[in-house]
Amino acid sequence: MSRYFDDLMLGSIELFCLTAEQQSFTAAAAAAGLTPAAVSRSISRLEARLGVQLFVRTTRRVRLTEGGRNYFGQCRQALGQLIEAEREITGEQHLPSGTVRISLPTSYGHHRILPLLPGFREQYPAVELEVHLSNRNIDFTAEGFDLAVRGRTPPDSGLVARKLEDAELVVVAAPRYLRRCGIPMSLDELPQHECIQFLLPSSGKAMPWLLRQHGQDLELPTQGGMRCSDDILGPVTLARAGAGLLQTYRFIVEHDLQQGSLQEVLGEFGGASRPFSLLYPSNRHIPQRVRVLIDFLLQRLGPAAP
């Protein structure tokens, strides 16, 4: 195999990643023990080799171009794998170390994952966690994520999906709403009620309710004048305030049901659930720091969890 990179080019790639992280030639130079001019020359050589502008330069800072963002994501991943390989072969990686970037949906993150992470850090203190809470789709490579938790796996995505759990759904309302509007006893009564809507970020359409009838899952569109988007915890706050009926995950409202601030309705049509899974790229070497987090979460939430 002939050489593709020389030592100078690999060094330029390292300085490019450092500059992208620091958003400054001066800060990158200080971190690398070089002059800003040397860093700037190195980046210019890399841009000349690629034939692509990687940074937009201003007097105070630099920012990545679109091409630069894509290149940065892949370079950071590749450099991380090289560092991991060196640690493993030299025996330095007895204990996992480094940073894991994980993207979590807001509701599942707050209620299921975040409470577990202090225990993970106690077990693996050298592993740092960078947690992003968002319901949007992410680009693993361009944004440098190691893991994500999502309710749905994009089709033909090239991602590995490891199921964490099937999260049970429940229909709830505040007692004062039920006193005012009555308790629904059948699905035919739902059109007569205010059903709080959550708009899906991907389509802007209201998420249908998922119920079980005669042992079969039934997707049921509902109607209502209260709509929320982006944060699925918003409809829960509306339900607590007496705005209407709401279908949500039981783990979100478990405390409310115990305290009586929300009441379960249509229980005979309950039992439906939606899955949550850990996602990560299938074509990527999994560093030890990421593997231990995957195993930790599967042990506590996965199908074999107690």
Side-chain angles (χ1 to χ4, degrees), residues 269-287:
F269 301 99
S273 63
R274 289 194 173 99
F276 282 88
S277 299
L278 270 175
L279 306 179
Y280 51 90
S282 60
N283 59 349
R284 184 184 296 181
H285 168 74
I286 303 175

Side-chain angles (χ1 to χ4, degrees), residues 171 173 177-178 181-187 189-190 193 245 265-267:
V171 180
Y177 172 84
L178 298 175
C181 300
I183 299 175
M185 304 304 293
S186 71
L187 301 184
E189 296 179 40
L190 283 179
H193 282 268
L245 304 177
V265 299
L266 299 173

